[in-house]
């Protein structure tokens, strides 16, 4: 089979590793938002396709047999384009949709529908807020410059969030709950702002906030197309090879 995987997540990397050397022609596609992504053991392309029509054209011209949407839970536009392109090209689509985090009894969550709503949820009184919503969403917090923001990211954030008080930390996860608790305490964090990304890789901060009694402003996931989906890379591998 010729398989195109839309990636950028741990699930995509795990599936790529499982398929490498399997005899199938696998290509990984990355959006290009990370300047130095981790190398993968299959041919990798970077950048967009030109919307759903461009992706459909790529699928047809490259005789792709299966399309896998293993993008981030908040990559709603890419997922919509993948569904539309698969329909246009007549290529079966499989999505990997990791389960969302669920609020536990001890969690202090304020759930919102979008990042702008998360900005408003911080309120007027100055807080020291740890932002874990991704570089692309940081600019929205300039609307509330009274807060003291802490951002941890792989890529530089200078110039993206223009506020008087910003601490930028360059680091690559995953971070376990113990390390996150130490970080939250040491940084004097009053509130955590997070997207409900799900999975284990970034759950440490949620567990740490729970243990420390730190409130969380949690952005709910966007709606995604109703397509065949599995929860993880193992299930995706079984689904793909079962059709081989």
């Amino acid at each position: 089979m010729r398989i195109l995987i839309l990636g950028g997540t741990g699930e995509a990397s795990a599936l790529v590793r499982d398929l490498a050397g399997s005899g199938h022609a696998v290509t990984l596609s990355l959006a290009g938002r990370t300047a130095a992504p981790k190398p993968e053991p299959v041919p990798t392309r970077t950048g967009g396709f030109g919307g759903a029509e461009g992706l459909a054209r790529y699928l047809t011209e490259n005789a792709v047999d299966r399309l896998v949407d293993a993008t981030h839970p908040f990559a709603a536009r890419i997922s919509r384009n993948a569904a539309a392109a698969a329909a246009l090209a007549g290529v079966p689509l499989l999505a990997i949709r990791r389960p969302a985090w669920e609020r536990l009894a001890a969690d202090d969550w304020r759930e919102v529908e979008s990042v702008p709503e998360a900005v408003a949820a911080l309120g007027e009184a100055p807080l020291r807020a740890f932002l874990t919503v991704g570089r692309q969403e940081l600019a929205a917090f300039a609307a509330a410059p009274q807060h003291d923001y802490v951002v941890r990211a792989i890529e530089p954030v200078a110039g993206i969030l223009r506020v008087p008080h910003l601490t930028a930390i360059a680091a690559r996860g995953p971070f376990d709950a113990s390390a996150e608790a130490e970080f939250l305490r040491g940084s004097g964090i009053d509130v955590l702002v997070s997207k409900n990304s799900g999975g284990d890789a970034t759950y440490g901060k949620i567990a740490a906030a729970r243990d420390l009694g730190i409130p969380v402003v949690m952005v709910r996931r966007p709606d995604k197309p109703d397509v065949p989906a599995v929860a993880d890379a193992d299930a995706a591998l079984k689904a793909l090879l079962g059709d081989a």
Side-chain angles (χ1 to χ4, degrees), residues 69 72-80 97 113 220-226:
D69 175 10
H72 192 273
F74 280 78
R77 183 174 64 179
I78 298 175
S79 291
R80 289 193 298 268
R97 303 268 173 83
E113 299 298 330
R220 293 189 180 96
R221 292 182 175 191
D223 292 333
K224 290 225 179 175
D226 184 10

Side-chain angles (χ1 to χ4, degrees), residues 2-125:
R2 294 181 180 272
I3 303 171
L4 175 64
I5 300 174
L6 308 179
T9 60
E11 290 86 356
S13 294
L15 182 58
V16 162
R17 291 193 298 270
D18 288 339
L19 287 170
S22 66
H24 300 292
V26 179
T27 300
L28 174 66
S29 178
L30 301 176
R33 291 176 178 172
T34 301
K38 293 185 292 186
E40 301 287 3
V42 299
T44 302
R45 68 175 301 281
T46 301
F49 292 92
E53 293 79 8
L55 176 54
R57 186 164 51 251
Y58 179 95
L59 295 174
T60 300
E61 292 176 352
N62 290 275
V64 173
D65 298 301
R66 295 298 300 267
L67 175 62
V68 179
D69 175 10
T71 58
H72 192 273
F74 280 78
R77 183 174 64 179
I78 298 175
S79 291
R80 289 193 298 268
N81 286 345
L88 286 170
V91 174
L93 169 64
L94 178 68
I96 301 179
R97 303 268 173 83
R98 75 174 78 127
W101 297 320
E102 295 186 3
R103 185 207 303 249
L104 301 183
D107 285 319
D108 181 6
W109 288 8
R110 166 79 180 276
E111 293 188 89
V112 297
E113 299 298 330
S114 66
V115 170
E117 284 190 22
V119 177
L122 291 176
E124 295 299 324

